[in-house]
Amino acid sequence: MYRYTDFDAAFVAERNRQFRAQVERRINGSLTEDEFKPLRLMNGLYLQLHAYMLRVAIPYGTLSGSQMRQLAYIADRWDKGYGHFTTRQNIQFNWPKLRDVPDMLDALAEVQMHAIQTSGNTIRNVTADHFAGAAADEIADPRPVAELIRQWSTDHPEFQFLPRKFKIAVSGSENDRAVLRAHDVAVQIVEQDGEIGYRIFVGGGLGRTPMIGKVLRDFLPEADLLPYLEAVVSVWNLLGRRDNKYKARIKITVHEHGISEISRLVEDRFAVLRPAFSGIDQALFDTIKADFAAPDFAHRDSADFDRAYDRDPVFRAWADTNLSDHRIPGYAIAQISLKAHGATPGDATSSQMRVLADLAERYGHDELRISHEQNVVLPHVHKADLPQIHTILKAHGLATANIGKISDIIACPGMDYCALATARSIPVAQKIATRFDALKLEHEIGDLKIKISGCINACGHHHVGHIGILGLDRAGVETYQITLGGDATQDAALGDRTGPGFGYDEIVPAIERLIGTYLDLRGDAQETFLQTYRRIGMAPFKSALYDSETRVAAE
Amino acid sequence: MPKAFTPKVVTANALLEGDVVYLSEDDRWVRRLNEAELLTDEAHADLRLIEAQARHAEVVGAYLADVKPGPNGPEPTHFREDFRRTGPSNHAHGKQAEAS
C-alpha cells in the first residue's frame, strides 16, 4: 500500500494546523459562516440536517487494518460509535462537534488519512475498482494510477475553484466495477499490441441530468496520462458554465459543445501541456507502483474450504454469493456485506470495524477495500482460511449472504441525514430488505441491483439501478419514482421511468409487484431481472405497477 | 388578495454542535420545537429572522419554517421539519435520544 512520504505528512499536518486555527476563529466570532463555509468544505466538513458531517477520503477504496481501526477509534471518541461508507469510497461521520473536528483530522493523519477535497468544487476522492490488485480479469492494478492522479490533483492550484465538483474513477479490467461511465472522467487501463495504456471516458454523471460517459481517447499511452487529464480539466475549467450550477458539470459542457469539439480543444491543450511534463511524473509513477507490489501469496492446501463447503449449507450459501475469483489460484476475494437485512446500507459499528481490521491483518495481507456498493472487501484471502473468517463474521453480524442480491441495496443517507434530500432513502432500503428476507425469495430472485436516492442529485445511483428508486417531495408528501433497466457495468445504461411515483407506504408493495412479474415472466431461473426487462420491455412491469386490477389482486 | 401568512418559527443549527435549534420568545436558542416562539405576524417574523441571522456566532443558517399551533406549542406542517424535530429514523439519535 502507498505510504506517505515526509512531504505528504508535512503537507497534511500543515493543512490540519491551518484548519484548527480557522475553526478557532469561527468559534470566537472572528469569521462569519459565509467566510468559514468554503474553508470547512475544503476539509470535508458539512453541516447537515441534524449535525455536522465529516467526510473522510478512502482513496481508491483501499485501507489497511490499522487505518480501519483508527476509523473505529474516531467513531467511538468523537461520534456515536459507527461510520457510514459511501458510494464514493468515503466514510462519513454523522455526529461530530465543530470543536472536535481538528482533533479528528489529526487522528486521521496519524494513519495517513485525510478529508481534503472530499467536498467543494474540486477534483474529489479518486475511486477505483474495489477488486483492484486481486481480480482475475485485471489487466493491471488501477491503484497506482489512482494514487498518481490523487497526488497530481491534491491542492492543484488551477483546480481548486472549478465550475463544479469533478469525479474521476479508474479501472484495470474490461468488466467495469467502478461505474466508469457515470464519472466526469474515467480511466480504463487497456492493452493494445502488448502495450499498456488508457481508454479515457468523459462527460458521464448522474444527478438531475444523467448522462453516460463518451470515449474521448480510445488509447492513451501511459506516459501521457497526467498532461492529458490536465488538458481535459483545464478545457472544462474555461468552458464550464459558471452562470448556472445545474449546467456546470463537464457532462453538460460535452453535451453543449459536442464530443468532437471537446476532443479538438483537449488535444490542442494537450499539445501545449505535454512538453511541461518532463518525465518526473513517470518516475513518481514507478515509485508508486512499487508501493502497490503484490503481497507474498502462499501456496497452501484448500481442503478445509472444500470440507466446509460440502458440509455447511450456510457457509456454502455465503461462499456462492459473496466470493469472487482471485487472480492467484487458491485465493478468493471476499465481499463483506454491510447490508444485514434491515440494517442501514453502508453503516459499520466501531466493533465491526475492529473485526474487519483484525481479519485483514490475520488473514488478508493487511488489506481492505470499500466498494462503491457500500460493502467491505477482503481482497486477498486464502480459501483455506474462509471457514474461520466466516465464523468470525457470523459472530459480528457481518456474514449476510446477499452480495448482488435484492437486499444489497445502495442507498444514499437521504432525509434522515442529508440537508439536500427531499425524501428518505434508508428506511425504504430497510423495508425492502426485510420484506424479501421474510418472503425467502432473495436467492430465487438472483442478481438484482436496487439503488435508492433521496433526491435528484442521485448519490444513490438510482439511474443505473436495475430497479432505481428516487425519493421526492410532492406537495409535502414523500413520493418515490421508479426506474427500470439501469446498468452500472461496462454496458452502462440509464433506467426508464415507469410512471407516477408511489407513496412511502406504497413503495415496498410496488417493488413486490415488479418482482412477482419478473418471476412469472422470466425465461428460466438463470435469466436475471435485467435480462428479462431487456427482453420483454416496460409494458408488463408498468401494468403490474399501475393496472388497478393487478393492484387489487396483489393486495 | 394577499396570501394568508402561515405561522412560522425561526430555526437554525447550533454553531458548536450542529443540532437543530429554535428561537424562543425570550431570545434563547431552545432544542425543542414546542418551546419555540410561534410567529403569526409576517412583519414580526421577518424582524425575528433578521435578529436571528445577526447571531452568527451562535447559529448557522437561520430561516423561517412553517408550523401550526398545537396544544403544546408549535408543530411541524412538513415532514422535513418533523424529521428535524426528532432525528433520523434508522438510529435513535439526535433529539429523540436527548428526549428519552
Side-chain angles (χ1 to χ4, degrees), chain B residues 66-90:
Chain B
D66 285 344
V67 291
K68 61 186 178 190
N72 299 311
E75 294 178 357
T77 59
H78 189 279
F79 60 87
R80 185 175 193 274
E81 290 305 322
D82 199 16
F83 297 140
R84 288 183 79 239
R85 177 175 65 156
T86 53
S89 51
N90 64 326

Side-chain angles (χ1 to χ4, degrees), chain A residues 403-426:
Chain A
I403 296 295
K405 307 301 183 203
I406 192 169
S407 63
D408 184 11
I409 299 170
I410 287 180
C412 75
M415 196 177 269
D416 282 310
Y417 294 92
C418 179
L420 299 176
T422 47
R424 287 174 297 165
S425 300
I426 292 168

